[in-house]
Amino acid sequence: MNAEAGSWIKCYLGLGSNLANDLGSPTEHLQQALSALRQYKQIRKVEVSSFYSSAPMGPQDQADFVNAVAGLETTLAPLELLDVCQQLEQGAKRARLRHWGERSLDVDILLYGQQQVSEPSLIVPHVGLSERNFVLVPLRELAPELMILQQSISDYPLSVDWTALQRLDEPKLRLDDSE
Ligand code: ROI
């Protein structure tokens, strides 16, 4: 399933949070996850989109989300990368209060090179990718030339969904300072 050992695979992760806790605000949860990601020796070249505020997809009586996409290269196999994502979520003391409800941190694998993964615990490309502006917009920002299963990301229609997006500029600067 994985590429040859030792080769670096370009991957994209989606990050989202709309729940503060004693470890920080949604923006801080994303920043902390990104710093933690940079500590893994099997992960390099972590780059991050702008942070976006987005209206919740799901129940509307919850706070707006902060969303971003991270690009990276990794030698980890898909399920190992999933494990890292789950460690990051646990690092934010992940809480999920209800189905499609508020959460302190979600880290999803959007793309793993050009590979398709179909495991009970992991489907890549991420199933929601093509319908979620809060994923597509930051992903396009990072990788305007990206090909997803032979289709250019610029051909993906931005959905008319209820996910109003607003770019938050300032956190990116703070992120660069934190390393
Ligand atoms: N809605 C937005 N806007 N952003 C998210 O990251 C997000 N994540 C989710 C659900 C609850 C589906 N809604 C979301 O998991």
Side-chain angles (χ1 to χ4, degrees):
M1 181 181 57
N2 193 17
E4 324 83 74
S7 66
W8 291 92
I9 310 285
K10 178 86 196 202
C11 298
Y12 292 92
L13 307 181
L15 297 99
S17 167
N18 73 340
L19 193 61
N21 60 21
D22 55 328
L23 295 177
S25 65
T27 298
E28 287 164 341
H29 289 316
L30 264 63
Q31 289 171 331
Q32 284 158 14
L34 291 161
S35 316
L37 205 51
R38 293 189 163 100
Q39 308 307 315
Y40 288 86
K41 66 179 191 314
Q42 309 93 329
I43 291 175
R44 68 179 188 188
K45 298 192 186 169
V46 177
E47 44 171 7
V48 189
S49 72
S50 303
F51 284 19
Y52 292 81
S53 155
S54 67
M57 180 179 181
Q60 294 298 289
D61 61 336
Q62 57 181 319
D64 284 355
F65 277 75
V66 177
N67 284 111
V69 166
L72 55 87
E73 292 182 2
T74 187
T75 53
L76 296 171
L79 290 178
E80 292 170 333
L81 185 61
L82 177 64
D83 204 49
V84 167
C85 294
Q86 289 168 350
Q87 287 171 30
L88 298 178
E89 291 173 347
Q90 278 149 21
K93 289 202 210 154
R94 177 187 169 112
R96 272 199 295 191
L97 303 185
R98 52 180 163 159
H99 182 62
W100 276 35
E102 40 284 275
R103 58 234 16 239
S104 42
L105 184 64
D106 251 350
V107 184
D108 294 326
I109 301 177
L110 304 173
L111 294 167
Y112 183 91
Q114 290 294 318
Q115 291 187 42
Q116 282 176 273
V117 181
S118 189
E119 298 278 341
S121 58
L122 180 65
I123 305 224
V124 179
H126 191 277
V127 284
L129 191 150
S130 62
E131 292 146 21
R132 297 181 175 185
N133 289 354
F134 60 81
V135 173
L136 279 178
V137 171
L139 186 57
R140 274 196 200 181
E141 181 198 325
L142 266 191
E145 313 289 330
L146 186 69
M147 298 295 292
I148 303 168
L149 305 181
Q150 272 121 54
Q151 196 186 356
S152 166
I153 190 166
S154 58
D155 294 337
Y156 274 71
L158 291 178
S159 1
V160 186
D161 66 7
W162 56 96
T163 312
L165 265 192
Q166 197 187 343
R167 195 168 144 172
L168 304 167
D169 272 320
E170 184 245 0
K172 218 181 154 189
L173 297 172
R174 271 207 254 143
L175 234 190
D176 292 339
D177 289 347
S178 71
E179 284 284 306

